[in-house]
Amino acid sequence: MHRASADGFVKAVKQPKTDGIERSFSHVELFEVGKTFDAFDRSGDGRISYEELRSTMSSLGVTMSENALQKVVAQLDTDGNGEISKEEFLEWYESAIDDDGHSMHERAEFLFKLFDRDDSGEITIGEFKAALDVFNI
């Protein structure tokens, strides 16, 4: 399994806040989160399926067990239809950035590890391009 573990990803996935506090997103932030959602929604149908989540995480070099994938879908899929809508993804994002307990340094380190596929401590152009290709950038 790649250094950026599935456990770290599963721990980062939380239920959206239910205290009624809404956060307003900037247009840029909504655009960026939307691009991330679209990278997972490979079929373009507006929903992330279990298979799309598994495939995208695998493309990023993160191997997740069936149990871990099921937990992620169950936590993000608040309406229980088995897929993650863009609205559910935004609710999760809002919750995650407001109260994930991780410092900016920890977040950056996690992302660095996703790009550093050979665990060399450096990101090569090839590793960078491979990660960008996953997100169709």
Side-chain angles (χ1 to χ4, degrees), residues 8 17 36 39 44 49 53 74 82 86 105 109-110 116-117 132:
K17 288 185 173 184
T36 301
S49 69
L53 178 64
K86 189 171 263 187
H105 177 79
E109 187 174 291
F110 176 79
D116 183 22
R117 292 185 166 213
L132 293 181

Side-chain angles (χ1 to χ4, degrees), residues 96-127:
I97 63 166
D98 283 347
D99 189 29
D100 72 355
H102 298 298
S103 70
M104 188 62 71
H105 177 79
E106 290 169 324
R107 290 179 193 153
E109 187 174 291
F110 176 79
L111 291 173
F112 182 88
K113 290 175 185 176
L114 284 178
F115 282 75
D116 183 22
R117 292 185 166 213
D118 66 0
D119 200 21
S120 67
E122 297 178 348
I123 299 172
T124 65
I125 291 174
E127 289 170 326

Side-chain angles (χ1 to χ4, degrees), residues 80-100:
N81 70 352
E83 297 180 312
I84 303 162
S85 69
K86 189 171 263 187
E87 182 178 316
E88 290 168 330
F89 191 82
L90 285 170
E91 288 173 0
W92 165 76
Y93 176 79
E94 177 184 2
S95 176
I97 63 166
D98 283 347
D99 189 29
D100 72 355

Side-chain angles (χ1 to χ4, degrees), residues 66-82:
E66 296 298 313
N67 186 42
L69 285 165
Q70 289 169 356
K71 284 180 182 179
V72 170
V73 171
Q75 290 180 342
L76 271 69
D77 174 28
T78 57
D79 68 6
N81 70 352

Side-chain angles (χ1 to χ4, degrees), residues 37-57 69-70 72-74 76-77 81-86 88-89:
F37 177 87
D38 293 343
F40 280 88
D41 177 22
R42 292 179 174 204
S43 68
D45 65 359
R47 298 178 305 270
I48 300 171
S49 69
Y50 175 89
E51 181 55 34
E52 287 171 323
L53 178 64
R54 185 202 61 73
S55 176
T56 303
M57 294 305 291
L69 285 165
Q70 289 169 356
V72 170
V73 171
L76 271 69
D77 174 28
N81 70 352
E83 297 180 312
I84 303 162
S85 69
K86 189 171 263 187
E88 290 168 330
F89 191 82

